[in-house]
Amino acid sequence: MNRSMIRYVMGGVLKVEGILLLLPFIISLIHNERSGLWFIPVALGSTLLGILFSLRKPDSQVFYLKEGCVSTAMSWILISGEIPSFTDALFETISGFTTTGASILTEVEPLSKCMLFWRSFTHWVGGMGVLVFLLAIIPMSGGSNINLMRAESPGPSVGKLVPKIKSTARILYIIYFVLTLIEFIMLMIFGMSPFEAVCSAMGTAGTGGFGVLNDSFASYSPALQWIVTVFMILFGVNFNAYYLILFHQAGKAFRMEEVRAYIGIIIVAIAIIMCDTIHIYGDAFEALTHSSFQVASIITTTGFASTDFDTWSQTSRTVLVILMFIGACAGSTGGGIKVSRFILAAKTFFKEISGYIHSKSIKKLTMDGKPVEHEVLRSVNVYFLTFLFIFTASVLMVSLEGHDLTTNFTAVAATINNIGPGLNMVGPTCNFAFFNPFSKYILMFDMLAGRLELFPLLILLTPRVWYELLHPSSRHKNKN
């Protein structure tokens, strides 16, 4: 176990967080708010601790996947804030950085603007990943640092867009920043204030869900809702598609099976919900607006709300719950299980059926015209089983509190898939404040596990990893 490299990466994370904490302080100066002063000691403490952690450069900068997972998990657990109760503050902070958007706050409008900005900014930082940002700016030798990106990035596999990981990380952040900037400008053009526009753009980009108004997006005009709808869908697309489009390979981008399936699922879900809710709104365009907004919000795991969808029929609510689990594309800022995993699972299913019918046939699974390695299929199957185990155990433990099944089921679904709102007591007009501390810690674990694709956090919980961390001599015995 390369402990010095893990310490060095964590130091980088703390320094970055210390610098980022100065942004809400600047916002407080602009709006003449004294509450922003609390960010200064936290920023200084985080920066100084980060400097201490990274003062000594590691002799070896080689990273195996195990070190990548441990560094990722420990770095995300380090990130934490303001709210009287420590448990509630930790819940809100983890919800922000994991882009879940589940809140314990009954009202957000009384919060200071610097705090509202910080809540949305945590989404933007967590959306692409703070470690991907580190890879873009800090020098790390060797090709094994892809294990950092692989441990943090969503989806069954992570590849390099260009030969150098540092260049890949920079390209991803440039695309991310430009899309955020375009949305920010468009929101201002259609009537949002600069402050609300920047918070909404960051929340959309990170597919988070923290809003600046108590009713999320219900108060905004249909034009603004449509802009956010489009950008939620765009941020749920695999960023590899944008890279291909930038380098004049648009045809290849639009032929990506995952992107086509993602768009197809969205269209079908919108059509079902629109037909089911048109009698509620009495207007086809309004029904289309709300159904499109909520489908985009849930499948991309953003969690914004333009209406109280908990009042919809069982059919529409069931469609939304299904979308919670499907999630966005791999390689996007969205959460959920990911469309690509469901495509591979479906192909595996039909391959098995075909094998029963044509027992002597040998069929190789392909994705985008390329053969899918057995290792990828194995990891997808293990992911589904692990997800099912964690989800079931979490629902069981949360149920000990005595709330109804719909509340418990969707609370876990909303946190492990990094969505935010669920149904019933955790619906779009409610919050998570009523849960006891035990349930909140279960849901916090689910948020972290979902954002880190389960395994980095689970690896951190294994006794062997802690033995190697606490006994440095053991790294010579087992380098892998």
Side-chain angles (χ1 to χ4, degrees):
M1 181 76 71
N2 193 344
R3 297 198 312 168
S4 60
M5 194 59 198
I6 293 172
R7 171 184 48 76
Y8 184 70
V9 170
M10 291 171 63
V13 169
L14 286 168
K15 286 189 290 185
V16 168
E17 188 185 8
I19 294 170
L20 296 179
L21 280 163
L22 295 176
L23 291 176
F25 170 70
I26 294 171
I27 296 295
S28 71
L29 292 178
I30 295 172
H31 294 279
N32 196 27
E33 296 173 336
R34 294 180 60 85
S35 58
L37 293 172
W38 290 106
F39 285 95
I40 295 298
V42 181
L44 289 175
S46 179
T47 304
L48 289 174
L49 191 58
I51 291 172
L52 288 175
F53 273 31
S54 56
L55 200 59
R56 182 181 174 185
K57 210 166 186 179
D59 297 328
S60 172
Q61 295 191 17
V62 174
F63 244 43
Y64 294 105
L65 183 57
K66 178 171 60 178
E67 279 87 350
C69 291
V70 171
S71 297
T72 302
M74 293 185 74
S75 297
W76 276 80
I77 290 171
L78 271 177
I79 298 174
S80 96
E82 177 198 271
I83 290 174
S85 164
F86 173 79
T87 298
D88 287 348
L90 189 63
F91 186 97
E92 197 81 3
T93 304
I94 290 176
S95 180
F97 278 107
T98 58
T99 73
T100 303
S103 180
I104 47 78
L105 296 172
T106 305
E107 293 184 327
V108 297
E109 291 179 28
L111 293 176
S112 61
K113 282 186 166 54
C114 63
M115 182 52 64
L116 288 172
F117 174 85
W118 178 245
R119 291 171 84 242
S120 298
F121 189 63
T122 57
H123 285 333
W124 196 83
V125 174
M128 185 60 68
V130 67
L131 294 181
V132 176
F133 178 74
L134 277 179
L135 288 174
I137 62 172
I138 65 173
M140 293 178 68
S141 61
S144 59
N145 49 30
I146 191 175
N147 289 319
L148 263 183
M149 184 178 287
R150 185 177 292 131
E152 186 178 37
S153 299
S157 63
V158 174
K160 295 182 284 187
L161 300 178
V162 291
K164 292 184 178 180
I165 284 294
K166 189 171 185 178
S167 299
T168 297
R170 284 179 177 173
I171 290 170
L172 289 173
Y173 255 99
I174 289 171
I175 295 170
Y176 189 50
F177 178 79
V178 170
L179 283 174
T180 307
L181 182 62
I182 293 171
E183 183 187 0
F184 167 71
I185 293 170
M186 291 188 68
L187 289 173
M188 283 207 303
I189 290 172
F190 282 85
M192 261 197 192
S193 68
F195 178 77
E196 290 180 350
V198 72
C199 289
S200 299
M202 289 190 298
T204 306
T207 59
F210 283 155
V212 295
L213 299 179
N214 291 332
D215 63 4
S216 191
F217 267 79
S219 300
Y220 292 115
S221 67
L224 291 171
Q225 291 175 359
W226 273 108
I227 290 171
V228 173
T229 298
V230 170
F231 276 93
M232 284 191 291
I233 294 171
L234 290 176
F235 280 107
V237 171
N238 191 321
F239 272 49
N240 286 357
Y242 297 129
Y243 174 81
L244 293 172
I245 292 170
L246 282 174
F247 289 88
H248 311 292
Q249 300 183 59
K252 191 175 180 181
F254 292 119
R255 286 195 298 272
M256 291 176 66
E257 290 183 52
E258 184 180 29
V259 175
R260 287 186 295 164
Y262 169 69
I263 299 300
I265 292 168
I266 289 173
I267 292 172
V268 172
I270 290 173
I272 294 171
I273 294 177
M274 179 187 172
C275 293
D276 191 50
T277 59
I278 194 168
H279 70 281
I280 297 175
Y281 301 104
D283 179 78
F285 179 73
E286 188 175 358
L288 176 63
T289 299
H290 290 306
S291 60
S292 299
F293 189 97
Q294 291 312 148
V295 166
S297 179
I298 298 301
I299 194 170
T300 61
T301 70
T302 305
F304 286 141
S306 64
T307 186
D308 184 4
F309 56 79
D310 199 27
T311 61
W312 288 354
S313 71
Q314 293 293 346
T315 300
S316 294
R317 297 199 305 165
T318 300
V319 170
L320 292 181
V321 171
I322 293 171
L323 296 179
M324 286 182 183
F325 290 94
I326 294 175
C329 297
S332 71
T333 61
I337 294 175
K338 303 296 179 302
V339 175
S340 58
R341 286 196 177 98
F342 281 98
I343 292 174
L344 291 174
K347 288 189 174 187
T348 303
F349 170 78
F350 287 113
K351 179 187 175 184
E352 290 299 312
I353 294 295
S354 177
Y356 280 105
I357 299 172
H358 308 285
S359 56
K360 294 184 179 180
S361 66
I362 300 175
K363 187 178 180 181
K364 185 76 173 178
L365 287 185
T366 60
M367 188 85 161
D368 297 326
K370 299 177 182 178
V372 179
E373 298 297 328
H374 174 74
E375 184 68 19
V376 174
L377 293 176
R378 185 192 64 80
S379 68
V380 169
N381 293 334
V382 172
Y383 182 93
F384 273 110
L385 288 173
T386 307
F387 184 96
L388 181 62
F389 173 78
I390 294 176
F391 182 85
T392 304
S394 297
V395 172
L396 178 62
M397 286 187 281
V398 170
S399 70
L400 297 175
E401 197 169 332
H403 302 300
D404 64 277
L405 178 60
T406 301
T407 295
N408 297 333
F409 185 92
T410 58
V412 174
T415 49
I416 198 171
N417 292 308
N418 303 133
I419 295 163
L423 300 175
N424 280 15
M425 295 175 69
V426 291
T429 61
C430 306
N431 57 68
F432 287 69
F434 64 88
F435 282 112
N436 64 33
F438 175 76
S439 295
K440 285 177 182 175
Y441 278 103
I442 297 299
L443 297 175
M444 281 188 263
F445 174 86
D446 290 339
M447 286 189 275
L448 285 167
R451 176 58 183 84
L452 298 178
E453 299 278 294
L454 308 184
F455 296 108
L457 195 62
L458 294 179
I459 286 173
L460 188 61
L461 298 178
T462 57
R464 178 64 186 175
V465 165
W466 284 103
Y467 178 82
E468 292 186 19
L469 283 171
L470 297 174
H471 299 81
S473 59
S474 65
R475 69 178 183 267
H476 301 296
K477 300 175 183 177
N478 183 11
K479 294 185 178 182
N480 296 313

